[in-house]
Amino acid sequence: MASRMTRSKSVGGKGKAPMGASGSGTVPRAVAGRPGPFTSPQNAKWHEKYCHNTLVVEKTLSDQLNSIFDVRRSFRVLGWDAILTPGGEYCESLVRQFYANIEDKDRPKLQEICSVVKGVPIYITRDYLACLLRVANEGEPYVQLKQMVGSDLGFKLDRTLDRAGVRPSNRNGKWKIYTRDFRIHDRLIIYFFGYNVMPRASSGGNEARYANVYFLDTMRVGLERIRGIPFGTHYDLID
């Protein structure tokens, strides 16, 4: 896999179009006489299995778009506005090497991420990540209990959808919430949330997740019910 530097994509502004982050599907080969890129045969197999997956690349909010919809103010309610302008460059092959070499990657709720890139140990904690990204790190972790938020029992999905002017759609006997039914400002929040906060490969998809609606509502009403949400701790989903 060839190393190359790419930038985060700017949304809503003019300028240079960045390179994408799709994988080449090739496995890095160890150079003769030097250690290979992976710390174990299992990690090498993991990389080979997932090297075709597309990386979810953060998006950058342009000043032009923000001047129209003021998306930054909404993220500032939670102290997360800095995440809208990640900037910088990254090397795709090294990112993939980082993920492949993560220790205990199948273990849920890791308190510290440990990996190795080019022989250099890397340790990432939630506190370090919040400091690096310049985002707030206070409050109760987001915990979803089926159709409730355990960390905010005052949240009501139907009331939130009424505020947003959105009605769920019944498709094949299942109720779904679609991003297209929200106002443009709210759609942009869901869009950036899906790339920069809680990434998923289909971030631009039609269906809005429960977490999308919750964070959208929290940004709208402010911290009336809670004292904050630590960035990086809002992934706990309990069936």
Side-chain angles (χ1 to χ4, degrees):
M1 183 181 297
S3 298
R4 59 188 178 89
M5 304 300 292
T6 60
R7 291 183 178 273
S8 300
K9 185 175 182 180
S10 178
V11 179
K14 298 180 180 179
K16 296 181 179 179
M19 299 175 68
S22 58
S24 63
T26 59
V27 181
R29 303 296 182 184
V31 179
R34 298 182 184 178
F38 305 112
T39 56
S40 70
Q42 292 77 14
N43 288 342
K45 291 180 180 179
W46 189 95
H47 178 274
E48 187 173 8
K49 179 179 179 180
Y50 293 105
C51 65
H52 297 282
N53 289 17
T54 300
L55 294 179
V56 177
V57 184
E58 295 90 346
K59 306 300 180 184
T60 299
L61 174 66
S62 71
D63 292 337
Q64 179 184 11
L65 187 64
N66 188 64
S67 67
I68 300 173
F69 297 104
D70 203 10
V71 176
R72 190 179 305 280
R73 180 176 61 85
S74 297
F75 276 80
R76 190 175 297 124
V77 171
L78 296 177
W80 296 352
D81 49 304
I83 200 65
L84 297 173
T85 52
E89 298 179 333
Y90 70 94
C91 178
E92 180 182 330
S93 64
L94 296 185
V95 171
R96 295 182 183 277
Q97 187 180 140
F98 168 82
Y99 280 110
N101 285 335
I102 289 178
E103 296 179 7
D104 300 321
K105 61 176 68 69
D106 296 325
R107 179 182 170 189
K109 300 182 181 180
L110 287 175
Q111 297 300 311
E112 181 181 55
I113 296 176
C114 306
S115 186
V116 175
V117 175
K118 297 184 70 174
V120 178
I122 298 175
Y123 304 94
I124 299 177
T125 63
R126 288 171 171 173
D127 289 341
Y128 172 78
L129 187 63
C131 181
L132 178 68
L133 299 176
R134 297 174 288 118
V135 294
N137 192 35
E138 299 179 353
E140 295 298 324
Y142 171 79
V143 179
Q144 182 179 323
L145 308 168
K146 291 187 179 295
Q147 295 302 309
M148 295 192 309
V149 178
S151 51
D152 185 1
L153 297 178
F155 171 71
K156 304 297 182 184
L157 179 62
D158 54 351
R159 185 172 59 194
T160 298
L161 294 178
D162 285 342
R163 286 199 193 105
V166 174
R167 292 186 177 182
S169 301
N170 192 328
R171 297 296 174 88
N172 300 322
K174 293 184 178 180
W175 292 97
K176 296 183 179 294
I177 305 169
Y178 289 98
T179 306
R180 63 172 181 264
D181 295 329
F182 289 84
R183 291 183 287 266
I184 295 178
H185 171 271
D186 295 347
R187 271 185 270 168
L188 286 170
I189 291 178
I190 295 173
Y191 174 83
F192 280 102
F193 187 88
Y195 278 101
N196 294 23
V197 181
M198 191 182 288
R200 57 176 177 174
S202 56
S203 296
N206 289 325
E207 189 174 350
R209 296 183 294 185
Y210 193 94
N212 295 146
V213 180
Y214 172 72
F215 284 98
L216 176 64
D217 182 67
T218 304
M219 291 178 184
R220 178 182 290 111
V221 303
L223 302 179
E224 297 177 356
R225 303 182 304 261
I226 58 176
R227 64 185 180 90
I229 304 173
F231 191 89
T233 63
H234 42 272
Y235 303 103
D236 294 328
L237 308 178
I238 301 177
D239 295 329

Short mmCIF file of all heavy atoms in Angstrom, two decimals, residues 5 12 16 21 28-30 58-59 92 107 114 124 128 134 163 174-175 179 181 210 217 229:
data_model
loop_
_atom_site.label_atom_id
_atom_site.label_comp_id
_atom_site.label_asym_id
_atom_site.label_seq_id
_atom_site.Cartn_x
_atom_site.Cartn_y
_atom_site.Cartn_z
N MET A 5 -0.11 11.37 1.40
CA MET A 5 -0.68 12.30 2.34
C MET A 5 -1.95 12.89 1.76
O MET A 5 -1.98 13.31 0.61
CB MET A 5 0.31 13.43 2.64
CG MET A 5 1.65 12.94 3.14
SD MET A 5 1.56 11.98 4.65
CE MET A 5 1.08 13.26 5.80
N GLY A 12 -18.73 22.81 1.73
CA GLY A 12 -19.45 24.06 1.56
C GLY A 12 -18.61 25.22 1.09
O GLY A 12 -19.08 26.34 1.03
N LYS A 16 -9.33 23.64 -3.39
CA LYS A 16 -8.82 22.41 -3.96
C LYS A 16 -9.61 21.22 -3.46
O LYS A 16 -9.88 21.10 -2.28
CB LYS A 16 -7.35 22.25 -3.61
CG LYS A 16 -6.46 23.34 -4.21
CD LYS A 16 -5.02 23.10 -3.85
CE LYS A 16 -4.11 24.17 -4.46
NZ LYS A 16 -2.71 23.96 -4.10
N ALA A 21 -10.03 8.67 0.48
CA ALA A 21 -9.33 7.81 1.42
C ALA A 21 -9.68 6.36 1.22
O ALA A 21 -9.70 5.58 2.15
CB ALA A 21 -9.66 8.23 2.85
N PRO A 28 1.13 -4.09 2.84
CA PRO A 28 2.53 -3.66 2.88
C PRO A 28 3.45 -4.85 3.07
O PRO A 28 3.18 -5.74 3.87
CB PRO A 28 2.57 -2.73 4.10
CG PRO A 28 1.17 -2.29 4.31
CD PRO A 28 0.33 -3.45 3.86
N ARG A 29 4.52 -4.86 2.36
CA ARG A 29 5.50 -5.94 2.46
C ARG A 29 6.69 -5.49 3.29
O ARG A 29 7.14 -4.35 3.19
CB ARG A 29 5.97 -6.35 1.06
CG ARG A 29 4.84 -6.78 0.16
CD ARG A 29 4.15 -8.04 0.66
NE ARG A 29 3.09 -8.48 -0.24
CZ ARG A 29 2.28 -9.49 0.01
NH1 ARG A 29 2.42 -10.17 1.13
NH2 ARG A 29 1.34 -9.83 -0.84
N ALA A 30 7.21 -6.37 4.10
CA ALA A 30 8.38 -6.04 4.90
C ALA A 30 9.60 -5.92 4.00
O ALA A 30 9.78 -6.69 3.05
CB ALA A 30 8.62 -7.12 5.96
N GLU A 58 -12.60 12.83 8.17
CA GLU A 58 -13.28 13.97 8.76
C GLU A 58 -13.51 15.06 7.71
O GLU A 58 -12.74 15.22 6.78
CB GLU A 58 -12.45 14.57 9.90
CG GLU A 58 -12.29 13.64 11.09
CD GLU A 58 -11.07 12.77 10.98
OE1 GLU A 58 -10.49 12.69 9.87
OE2 GLU A 58 -10.69 12.16 11.99
N LYS A 59 -14.58 15.82 7.89
CA LYS A 59 -14.92 16.92 7.00
C LYS A 59 -14.66 18.25 7.70
O LYS A 59 -14.79 18.36 8.92
CB LYS A 59 -16.39 16.85 6.58
CG LYS A 59 -16.79 15.50 5.98
CD LYS A 59 -15.99 15.15 4.74
CE LYS A 59 -16.42 13.82 4.15
NZ LYS A 59 -15.59 13.40 2.99
N GLU A 92 -2.33 7.56 4.71
CA GLU A 92 -3.33 6.49 4.73
C GLU A 92 -2.75 5.15 5.14
O GLU A 92 -3.34 4.43 5.96
CB GLU A 92 -4.00 6.37 3.35
CG GLU A 92 -5.05 5.28 3.30
CD GLU A 92 -5.66 5.15 1.91
OE1 GLU A 92 -5.72 6.16 1.20
OE2 GLU A 92 -6.06 4.02 1.57
N ARG A 107 -11.77 -6.27 22.12
CA ARG A 107 -12.26 -6.10 23.49
C ARG A 107 -13.09 -4.82 23.58
O ARG A 107 -12.62 -3.75 23.20
CB ARG A 107 -11.08 -6.02 24.44
CG ARG A 107 -11.45 -5.81 25.90
CD ARG A 107 -10.20 -5.69 26.74
NE ARG A 107 -10.47 -5.27 28.09
CZ ARG A 107 -9.55 -4.93 28.97
NH1 ARG A 107 -8.26 -4.97 28.61
NH2 ARG A 107 -9.87 -4.54 30.18
N CYS A 114 -3.73 1.08 22.52
CA CYS A 114 -2.29 0.87 22.38
C CYS A 114 -2.01 0.28 21.00
O CYS A 114 -2.61 -0.72 20.62
CB CYS A 114 -1.77 -0.07 23.47
SG CYS A 114 -2.16 0.43 25.15
N ILE A 124 -3.25 6.07 23.39
CA ILE A 124 -4.29 7.11 23.30
C ILE A 124 -5.34 6.84 24.37
O ILE A 124 -5.93 5.76 24.41
CB ILE A 124 -4.94 7.14 21.91
CG1 ILE A 124 -3.89 7.46 20.84
CG2 ILE A 124 -6.07 8.17 21.87
CD1 ILE A 124 -4.44 7.44 19.43
N TYR A 128 -6.46 12.30 26.63
CA TYR A 128 -5.48 12.77 25.65
C TYR A 128 -6.16 13.18 24.35
O TYR A 128 -5.83 14.21 23.75
CB TYR A 128 -4.45 11.67 25.38
CG TYR A 128 -3.51 12.01 24.25
CD1 TYR A 128 -2.44 12.87 24.43
CD2 TYR A 128 -3.71 11.47 22.97
CE1 TYR A 128 -1.58 13.20 23.39
CE2 TYR A 128 -2.86 11.79 21.92
CZ TYR A 128 -1.80 12.66 22.14
OH TYR A 128 -0.97 12.99 21.11
N ARG A 134 -8.99 19.53 21.25
CA ARG A 134 -9.46 20.78 21.86
C ARG A 134 -10.98 20.79 22.03
O ARG A 134 -11.67 21.74 21.66
CB ARG A 134 -9.02 21.99 21.03
CG ARG A 134 -7.51 22.15 20.95
CD ARG A 134 -7.08 23.25 20.01
NE ARG A 134 -7.30 22.86 18.62
CZ ARG A 134 -8.12 23.51 17.81
NH1 ARG A 134 -8.81 24.55 18.24
NH2 ARG A 134 -8.26 23.12 16.56
N ARG A 163 -40.16 19.06 17.81
CA ARG A 163 -39.42 20.31 17.74
C ARG A 163 -38.77 20.49 16.37
O ARG A 163 -38.70 21.60 15.84
CB ARG A 163 -38.32 20.35 18.81
CG ARG A 163 -38.79 20.56 20.23
CD ARG A 163 -37.61 21.03 21.08
NE ARG A 163 -37.91 20.95 22.50
CZ ARG A 163 -37.44 20.04 23.31
NH1 ARG A 163 -36.65 19.08 22.83
NH2 ARG A 163 -37.75 20.03 24.58
N LYS A 174 -41.49 -1.14 9.92
CA LYS A 174 -40.51 -0.58 10.85
C LYS A 174 -40.50 0.93 10.73
O LYS A 174 -40.53 1.48 9.63
CB LYS A 174 -39.11 -1.14 10.55
CG LYS A 174 -38.96 -2.63 10.82
CD LYS A 174 -37.53 -3.08 10.60
CE LYS A 174 -37.38 -4.56 10.92
NZ LYS A 174 -35.97 -5.02 10.72
N TRP A 175 -40.47 1.60 11.89
CA TRP A 175 -40.43 3.05 11.91
C TRP A 175 -39.00 3.53 11.78
O TRP A 175 -38.12 3.10 12.51
CB TRP A 175 -41.06 3.58 13.20
CG TRP A 175 -42.53 3.34 13.27
CD1 TRP A 175 -43.17 2.31 13.90
CD2 TRP A 175 -43.55 4.13 12.65
NE1 TRP A 175 -44.53 2.41 13.73
CE2 TRP A 175 -44.80 3.53 12.97
CE3 TRP A 175 -43.54 5.29 11.88
CZ2 TRP A 175 -46.01 4.04 12.52
CZ3 TRP A 175 -44.75 5.81 11.44
CH2 TRP A 175 -45.97 5.19 11.76
N THR A 179 -32.88 11.42 7.41
CA THR A 179 -32.17 12.70 7.46
C THR A 179 -32.80 13.72 6.53
O THR A 179 -32.86 14.91 6.86
CB THR A 179 -30.69 12.49 7.08
OG1 THR A 179 -30.12 11.49 7.91
CG2 THR A 179 -29.91 13.77 7.23
N ASP A 181 -35.70 14.48 6.00
CA ASP A 181 -36.89 15.13 6.54
C ASP A 181 -36.56 16.28 7.49
O ASP A 181 -37.46 17.01 7.90
CB ASP A 181 -37.77 14.10 7.26
CG ASP A 181 -38.33 13.05 6.31
OD1 ASP A 181 -38.54 13.38 5.14
OD2 ASP A 181 -38.53 11.90 6.75
N TYR A 210 -30.50 7.06 16.29
CA TYR A 210 -31.04 7.56 17.55
C TYR A 210 -30.07 8.58 18.15
O TYR A 210 -30.48 9.63 18.65
CB TYR A 210 -31.26 6.39 18.50
CG TYR A 210 -32.09 6.71 19.72
CD1 TYR A 210 -33.46 6.49 19.73
CD2 TYR A 210 -31.49 7.20 20.87
CE1 TYR A 210 -34.22 6.77 20.86
CE2 TYR A 210 -32.24 7.47 22.00
CZ TYR A 210 -33.61 7.26 22.00
OH TYR A 210 -34.36 7.54 23.11
N ASP A 217 -30.79 17.37 19.50
CA ASP A 217 -31.67 17.99 20.49
C ASP A 217 -30.87 18.67 21.59
O ASP A 217 -31.21 19.78 22.03
CB ASP A 217 -32.60 16.94 21.09
CG ASP A 217 -33.58 17.55 22.10
OD1 ASP A 217 -34.45 18.32 21.67
OD2 ASP A 217 -33.46 17.24 23.30
N ILE A 229 -21.25 16.33 27.98
CA ILE A 229 -21.01 14.98 27.47
C ILE A 229 -19.53 14.87 27.12
O ILE A 229 -19.05 15.62 26.27
CB ILE A 229 -21.86 14.67 26.23
CG1 ILE A 229 -23.34 14.88 26.52
CG2 ILE A 229 -21.60 13.24 25.75
CD1 ILE A 229 -24.22 14.76 25.29
#
